[in-house]
Amino acid sequence: MIKPILPTLFNVDKICNTYLIIRLVGFFQSSIVTVLSGQQRTLGKQGNILKLRIIAVIINLILDIVVVNYGYGIKGVAWVTVLLDTLMAIYLFIKSKKSVIYKFNKNIMRKIFELFKWNFVERIVSRIDNFIFNILVSRMGENEYAVHVILIQIRDIVESFIQGFGDGITISVGIASGKNDENYMIKVRTVAKTIINISSIIVPIITCIIAFIIMKISLNEVNLQIIFYQILPILLLGIYIVMSATYYYAIIRGVRDFKFLAKRNFVSSLIKIIVATILAYSPLGIIGVWISYLIYCILQKYMSKNRVEQMQ
């Protein structure tokens, strides 16, 4: 169904088709996790969600290494992700039963849609761009994709941790905005900037140490290690940019400027897809695809920074 639209890009091999089909099995569960995670954060339980996501990503990474070592390859990796999404969806469904009424109400749904529509656009654009990002790498071969999957898992662990910072700042900004107290807002921003400036140095260093440990465990072949060493600096630089930009992301969410976030994601994701597609067919290969991730991070940061400066 997709191939006639972009035949060159989606001329994928059997391995990639298998992976995508299995991941589609978990689409519903993944959507439930996204919705109920947001609901739990709204209730002020962002700490629990952060712990849940970090635990899930770590288990995912460990099981990925196990299934690959037992010869299940990409198929095993895909089923691990689907299994964890399913378990998280069940857990959050049970956890949310006390605070969520699962009943359709047309009037309430209209109000929710007004709040949700831009957030939905933001999320769906990010999902599509990651979908194409993974497809491009999957076409390069099993070695490139094996390294890519591990680096993506490391990135997800770190970004789950970074999201915890963002959630805390977002809530603090939201409270300050509701109080309409400029002095309190200044204090929140000052403390947030200080924490993020320090963490922007510490987090990439810790990520580098974790990445080397994981590489030693899961990538024994020299050719895989070479690919890993080529991509790791790009990943670390991207993590530094994301961490340093968390302040701006959190401020924008705190004042509920979801329309800007949707537009920002659309523009940066579109540029990422175009750059990744072009560089994927250049001599850079997988390095070029990951350079597009770096460009995406830079665009997100400076677009958000400019928006915050305009608001101030």
mmCIF file with all atom_site columns, all heavy atoms in Angstrom, residues 165-183:
data_model
loop_
_atom_site.group_PDB
_atom_site.id
_atom_site.type_symbol
_atom_site.label_atom_id
_atom_site.label_alt_id
_atom_site.label_comp_id
_atom_site.label_asym_id
_atom_site.label_entity_id
_atom_site.label_seq_id
_atom_site.pdbx_PDB_ins_code
_atom_site.Cartn_x
_atom_site.Cartn_y
_atom_site.Cartn_z
_atom_site.occupancy
_atom_site.B_iso_or_equiv
_atom_site.pdbx_formal_charge
_atom_site.auth_seq_id
_atom_site.auth_comp_id
_atom_site.auth_asym_id
_atom_site.auth_atom_id
_atom_site.pdbx_PDB_model_num
ATOM 1   N N   . PHE A 1 165 ? 13.212 15.399 33.544 1.00 0.00 ? 165 PHE A N   1
ATOM 2   C CA  . PHE A 1 165 ? 13.564 16.792 33.790 1.00 0.00 ? 165 PHE A CA  1
ATOM 3   C C   . PHE A 1 165 ? 12.502 17.713 33.199 1.00 0.00 ? 165 PHE A C   1
ATOM 4   O O   . PHE A 1 165 ? 12.028 18.653 33.844 1.00 0.00 ? 165 PHE A O   1
ATOM 5   C CB  . PHE A 1 165 ? 14.918 17.122 33.129 1.00 0.00 ? 165 PHE A CB  1
ATOM 6   C CG  . PHE A 1 165 ? 16.104 16.740 33.951 1.00 0.00 ? 165 PHE A CG  1
ATOM 7   C CD1 . PHE A 1 165 ? 16.629 15.456 33.884 1.00 0.00 ? 165 PHE A CD1 1
ATOM 8   C CD2 . PHE A 1 165 ? 16.715 17.649 34.784 1.00 0.00 ? 165 PHE A CD2 1
ATOM 9   C CE1 . PHE A 1 165 ? 17.742 15.093 34.635 1.00 0.00 ? 165 PHE A CE1 1
ATOM 10  C CE2 . PHE A 1 165 ? 17.826 17.310 35.539 1.00 0.00 ? 165 PHE A CE2 1
ATOM 11  C CZ  . PHE A 1 165 ? 18.331 16.023 35.468 1.00 0.00 ? 165 PHE A CZ  1
ATOM 12  N N   . GLY A 1 166 ? 12.146 17.422 31.943 1.00 0.00 ? 166 GLY A N   1
ATOM 13  C CA  . GLY A 1 166 ? 11.174 18.267 31.253 1.00 0.00 ? 166 GLY A CA  1
ATOM 14  C C   . GLY A 1 166 ? 9.825  18.290 31.933 1.00 0.00 ? 166 GLY A C   1
ATOM 15  O O   . GLY A 1 166 ? 9.200  19.350 32.068 1.00 0.00 ? 166 GLY A O   1
ATOM 16  N N   . ASP A 1 167 ? 9.368  17.124 32.410 1.00 0.00 ? 167 ASP A N   1
ATOM 17  C CA  . ASP A 1 167 ? 8.070  17.049 33.096 1.00 0.00 ? 167 ASP A CA  1
ATOM 18  C C   . ASP A 1 167 ? 8.073  17.898 34.365 1.00 0.00 ? 167 ASP A C   1
ATOM 19  O O   . ASP A 1 167 ? 7.110  18.614 34.651 1.00 0.00 ? 167 ASP A O   1
ATOM 20  C CB  . ASP A 1 167 ? 7.736  15.591 33.449 1.00 0.00 ? 167 ASP A CB  1
ATOM 21  C CG  . ASP A 1 167 ? 7.359  14.775 32.224 1.00 0.00 ? 167 ASP A CG  1
ATOM 22  O OD1 . ASP A 1 167 ? 7.042  15.385 31.193 1.00 0.00 ? 167 ASP A OD1 1
ATOM 23  O OD2 . ASP A 1 167 ? 7.394  13.540 32.300 1.00 0.00 ? 167 ASP A OD2 1
ATOM 24  N N   . GLY A 1 168 ? 9.158  17.798 35.125 1.00 0.00 ? 168 GLY A N   1
ATOM 25  C CA  . GLY A 1 168 ? 9.248  18.577 36.362 1.00 0.00 ? 168 GLY A CA  1
ATOM 26  C C   . GLY A 1 168 ? 9.216  20.070 36.101 1.00 0.00 ? 168 GLY A C   1
ATOM 27  O O   . GLY A 1 168 ? 8.512  20.828 36.786 1.00 0.00 ? 168 GLY A O   1
ATOM 28  N N   . ILE A 1 169 ? 9.965  20.506 35.094 1.00 0.00 ? 169 ILE A N   1
ATOM 29  C CA  . ILE A 1 169 ? 10.003 21.935 34.755 1.00 0.00 ? 169 ILE A CA  1
ATOM 30  C C   . ILE A 1 169 ? 8.660  22.386 34.201 1.00 0.00 ? 169 ILE A C   1
ATOM 31  O O   . ILE A 1 169 ? 8.156  23.469 34.532 1.00 0.00 ? 169 ILE A O   1
ATOM 32  C CB  . ILE A 1 169 ? 11.125 22.221 33.733 1.00 0.00 ? 169 ILE A CB  1
ATOM 33  C CG1 . ILE A 1 169 ? 12.483 21.887 34.352 1.00 0.00 ? 169 ILE A CG1 1
ATOM 34  C CG2 . ILE A 1 169 ? 11.099 23.684 33.296 1.00 0.00 ? 169 ILE A CG2 1
ATOM 35  C CD1 . ILE A 1 169 ? 13.611 21.872 33.355 1.00 0.00 ? 169 ILE A CD1 1
ATOM 36  N N   . THR A 1 170 ? 8.049  21.548 33.360 1.00 0.00 ? 170 THR A N   1
ATOM 37  C CA  . THR A 1 170 ? 6.745  21.890 32.776 1.00 0.00 ? 170 THR A CA  1
ATOM 38  C C   . THR A 1 170 ? 5.702  22.127 33.855 1.00 0.00 ? 170 THR A C   1
ATOM 39  O O   . THR A 1 170 ? 4.944  23.097 33.807 1.00 0.00 ? 170 THR A O   1
ATOM 40  C CB  . THR A 1 170 ? 6.269  20.768 31.830 1.00 0.00 ? 170 THR A CB  1
ATOM 41  O OG1 . THR A 1 170 ? 7.195  20.645 30.751 1.00 0.00 ? 170 THR A OG1 1
ATOM 42  C CG2 . THR A 1 170 ? 4.888  21.069 31.269 1.00 0.00 ? 170 THR A CG2 1
ATOM 43  N N   . ILE A 1 171 ? 5.654  21.227 34.843 1.00 0.00 ? 171 ILE A N   1
ATOM 44  C CA  . ILE A 1 171 ? 4.686  21.360 35.935 1.00 0.00 ? 171 ILE A CA  1
ATOM 45  C C   . ILE A 1 171 ? 4.967  22.630 36.743 1.00 0.00 ? 171 ILE A C   1
ATOM 46  O O   . ILE A 1 171 ? 4.048  23.378 37.085 1.00 0.00 ? 171 ILE A O   1
ATOM 47  C CB  . ILE A 1 171 ? 4.720  20.116 36.833 1.00 0.00 ? 171 ILE A CB  1
ATOM 48  C CG1 . ILE A 1 171 ? 4.148  18.913 36.077 1.00 0.00 ? 171 ILE A CG1 1
ATOM 49  C CG2 . ILE A 1 171 ? 3.934  20.342 38.120 1.00 0.00 ? 171 ILE A CG2 1
ATOM 50  C CD1 . ILE A 1 171 ? 4.385  17.593 36.752 1.00 0.00 ? 171 ILE A CD1 1
ATOM 51  N N   . SER A 1 172 ? 6.250  22.892 37.023 1.00 0.00 ? 172 SER A N   1
ATOM 52  C CA  . SER A 1 172 ? 6.618  24.086 37.793 1.00 0.00 ? 172 SER A CA  1
ATOM 53  C C   . SER A 1 172 ? 6.234  25.357 37.048 1.00 0.00 ? 172 SER A C   1
ATOM 54  O O   . SER A 1 172 ? 5.715  26.307 37.640 1.00 0.00 ? 172 SER A O   1
ATOM 55  C CB  . SER A 1 172 ? 8.122  24.080 38.079 1.00 0.00 ? 172 SER A CB  1
ATOM 56  O OG  . SER A 1 172 ? 8.490  22.964 38.846 1.00 0.00 ? 172 SER A OG  1
ATOM 57  N N   . VAL A 1 173 ? 6.480  25.359 35.738 1.00 0.00 ? 173 VAL A N   1
ATOM 58  C CA  . VAL A 1 173 ? 6.119  26.528 34.920 1.00 0.00 ? 173 VAL A CA  1
ATOM 59  C C   . VAL A 1 173 ? 4.604  26.695 34.869 1.00 0.00 ? 173 VAL A C   1
ATOM 60  O O   . VAL A 1 173 ? 4.078  27.809 34.940 1.00 0.00 ? 173 VAL A O   1
ATOM 61  C CB  . VAL A 1 173 ? 6.698  26.392 33.496 1.00 0.00 ? 173 VAL A CB  1
ATOM 62  C CG1 . VAL A 1 173 ? 6.138  27.475 32.569 1.00 0.00 ? 173 VAL A CG1 1
ATOM 63  C CG2 . VAL A 1 173 ? 8.213  26.494 33.536 1.00 0.00 ? 173 VAL A CG2 1
ATOM 64  N N   . GLY A 1 174 ? 3.889  25.569 34.764 1.00 0.00 ? 174 GLY A N   1
ATOM 65  C CA  . GLY A 1 174 ? 2.428  25.628 34.744 1.00 0.00 ? 174 GLY A CA  1
ATOM 66  C C   . GLY A 1 174 ? 1.869  26.216 36.033 1.00 0.00 ? 174 GLY A C   1
ATOM 67  O O   . GLY A 1 174 ? 0.945  27.036 36.012 1.00 0.00 ? 174 GLY A O   1
ATOM 68  N N   . ILE A 1 175 ? 2.466  25.806 37.172 1.00 0.00 ? 175 ILE A N   1
ATOM 69  C CA  . ILE A 1 175 ? 2.027  26.345 38.473 1.00 0.00 ? 175 ILE A CA  1
ATOM 70  C C   . ILE A 1 175 ? 2.323  27.838 38.550 1.00 0.00 ? 175 ILE A C   1
ATOM 71  O O   . ILE A 1 175 ? 1.482  28.638 38.979 1.00 0.00 ? 175 ILE A O   1
ATOM 72  C CB  . ILE A 1 175 ? 2.735  25.600 39.623 1.00 0.00 ? 175 ILE A CB  1
ATOM 73  C CG1 . ILE A 1 175 ? 2.249  24.140 39.678 1.00 0.00 ? 175 ILE A CG1 1
ATOM 74  C CG2 . ILE A 1 175 ? 2.484  26.294 40.959 1.00 0.00 ? 175 ILE A CG2 1
ATOM 75  C CD1 . ILE A 1 175 ? 3.055  23.260 40.613 1.00 0.00 ? 175 ILE A CD1 1
ATOM 76  N N   . ALA A 1 176 ? 3.530  28.228 38.113 1.00 0.00 ? 176 ALA A N   1
ATOM 77  C CA  . ALA A 1 176 ? 3.912  29.645 38.141 1.00 0.00 ? 176 ALA A CA  1
ATOM 78  C C   . ALA A 1 176 ? 3.023  30.472 37.229 1.00 0.00 ? 176 ALA A C   1
ATOM 79  O O   . ALA A 1 176 ? 2.623  31.593 37.569 1.00 0.00 ? 176 ALA A O   1
ATOM 80  C CB  . ALA A 1 176 ? 5.372  29.793 37.718 1.00 0.00 ? 176 ALA A CB  1
ATOM 81  N N   . SER A 1 177 ? 2.680  29.886 36.077 1.00 0.00 ? 177 SER A N   1
ATOM 82  C CA  . SER A 1 177 ? 1.796  30.582 35.144 1.00 0.00 ? 177 SER A CA  1
ATOM 83  C C   . SER A 1 177 ? 0.415  30.789 35.756 1.00 0.00 ? 177 SER A C   1
ATOM 84  O O   . SER A 1 177 ? -0.201 31.852 35.607 1.00 0.00 ? 177 SER A O   1
ATOM 85  C CB  . SER A 1 177 ? 1.688  29.774 33.845 1.00 0.00 ? 177 SER A CB  1
ATOM 86  O OG  . SER A 1 177 ? 0.798  30.377 32.942 1.00 0.00 ? 177 SER A OG  1
ATOM 87  N N   . GLY A 1 178 ? -0.069 29.761 36.468 1.00 0.00 ? 178 GLY A N   1
ATOM 88  C CA  . GLY A 1 178 ? -1.381 29.873 37.118 1.00 0.00 ? 178 GLY A CA  1
ATOM 89  C C   . GLY A 1 178 ? -1.384 30.889 38.240 1.00 0.00 ? 178 GLY A C   1
ATOM 90  O O   . GLY A 1 178 ? -2.368 31.597 38.458 1.00 0.00 ? 178 GLY A O   1
ATOM 91  N N   . LYS A 1 179 ? -0.259 31.013 38.966 1.00 0.00 ? 179 LYS A N   1
ATOM 92  C CA  . LYS A 1 179 ? -0.158 31.995 40.045 1.00 0.00 ? 179 LYS A CA  1
ATOM 93  C C   . LYS A 1 179 ? -0.019 33.418 39.522 1.00 0.00 ? 179 LYS A C   1
ATOM 94  O O   . LYS A 1 179 ? -0.266 34.376 40.247 1.00 0.00 ? 179 LYS A O   1
ATOM 95  C CB  . LYS A 1 179 ? 1.054  31.668 40.927 1.00 0.00 ? 179 LYS A CB  1
ATOM 96  C CG  . LYS A 1 179 ? 0.906  30.432 41.791 1.00 0.00 ? 179 LYS A CG  1
ATOM 97  C CD  . LYS A 1 179 ? 2.136  30.228 42.652 1.00 0.00 ? 179 LYS A CD  1
ATOM 98  C CE  . LYS A 1 179 ? 1.967  29.043 43.595 1.00 0.00 ? 179 LYS A CE  1
ATOM 99  N NZ  . LYS A 1 179 ? 3.171  28.843 44.439 1.00 0.00 ? 179 LYS A NZ  1
ATOM 100 N N   . ASN A 1 180 ? 0.440  33.511 38.261 1.00 0.00 ? 180 ASN A N   1
ATOM 101 C CA  . ASN A 1 180 ? 0.686  34.829 37.666 1.00 0.00 ? 180 ASN A CA  1
ATOM 102 C C   . ASN A 1 180 ? 1.678  35.633 38.514 1.00 0.00 ? 180 ASN A C   1
ATOM 103 O O   . ASN A 1 180 ? 1.552  36.835 38.705 1.00 0.00 ? 180 ASN A O   1
ATOM 104 C CB  . ASN A 1 180 ? -0.628 35.614 37.509 1.00 0.00 ? 180 ASN A CB  1
ATOM 105 C CG  . ASN A 1 180 ? -0.486 36.750 36.509 1.00 0.00 ? 180 ASN A CG  1
ATOM 106 O OD1 . ASN A 1 180 ? 0.369  36.707 35.618 1.00 0.00 ? 180 ASN A OD1 1
ATOM 107 N ND2 . ASN A 1 180 ? -1.301 37.776 36.650 1.00 0.00 ? 180 ASN A ND2 1
ATOM 108 N N   . ASP A 1 181 ? 2.705  34.917 39.012 1.00 0.00 ? 181 ASP A N   1
ATOM 109 C CA  . ASP A 1 181 ? 3.720  35.517 39.881 1.00 0.00 ? 181 ASP A CA  1
ATOM 110 C C   . ASP A 1 181 ? 5.047  35.549 39.113 1.00 0.00 ? 181 ASP A C   1
ATOM 111 O O   . ASP A 1 181 ? 5.705  34.518 38.948 1.00 0.00 ? 181 ASP A O   1
ATOM 112 C CB  . ASP A 1 181 ? 3.853  34.689 41.157 1.00 0.00 ? 181 ASP A CB  1
ATOM 113 C CG  . ASP A 1 181 ? 4.798  35.325 42.174 1.00 0.00 ? 181 ASP A CG  1
ATOM 114 O OD1 . ASP A 1 181 ? 5.639  36.138 41.767 1.00 0.00 ? 181 ASP A OD1 1
ATOM 115 O OD2 . ASP A 1 181 ? 4.688  34.985 43.368 1.00 0.00 ? 181 ASP A OD2 1
ATOM 116 N N   . GLU A 1 182 ? 5.438  36.722 38.661 1.00 0.00 ? 182 GLU A N   1
ATOM 117 C CA  . GLU A 1 182 ? 6.636  36.850 37.838 1.00 0.00 ? 182 GLU A CA  1
ATOM 118 C C   . GLU A 1 182 ? 7.899  36.478 38.610 1.00 0.00 ? 182 GLU A C   1
ATOM 119 O O   . GLU A 1 182 ? 8.818  35.855 38.066 1.00 0.00 ? 182 GLU A O   1
ATOM 120 C CB  . GLU A 1 182 ? 6.758  38.286 37.304 1.00 0.00 ? 182 GLU A CB  1
ATOM 121 C CG  . GLU A 1 182 ? 7.897  38.494 36.326 1.00 0.00 ? 182 GLU A CG  1
ATOM 122 C CD  . GLU A 1 182 ? 7.772  37.636 35.074 1.00 0.00 ? 182 GLU A CD  1
ATOM 123 O OE1 . GLU A 1 182 ? 6.634  37.307 34.674 1.00 0.00 ? 182 GLU A OE1 1
ATOM 124 O OE2 . GLU A 1 182 ? 8.823  37.282 34.503 1.00 0.00 ? 182 GLU A OE2 1
ATOM 125 N N   . ASN A 1 183 ? 7.978  36.854 39.897 1.00 0.00 ? 183 ASN A N   1
ATOM 126 C CA  . ASN A 1 183 ? 9.149  36.522 40.710 1.00 0.00 ? 183 ASN A CA  1
ATOM 127 C C   . ASN A 1 183 ? 9.319  35.015 40.864 1.00 0.00 ? 183 ASN A C   1
ATOM 128 O O   . ASN A 1 183 ? 10.434 34.481 40.777 1.00 0.00 ? 183 ASN A O   1
ATOM 129 C CB  . ASN A 1 183 ? 9.038  37.176 42.097 1.00 0.00 ? 183 ASN A CB  1
ATOM 130 C CG  . ASN A 1 183 ? 9.178  38.684 42.038 1.00 0.00 ? 183 ASN A CG  1
ATOM 131 O OD1 . ASN A 1 183 ? 9.894  39.205 41.175 1.00 0.00 ? 183 ASN A OD1 1
ATOM 132 N ND2 . ASN A 1 183 ? 8.497  39.388 42.927 1.00 0.00 ? 183 ASN A ND2 1
#
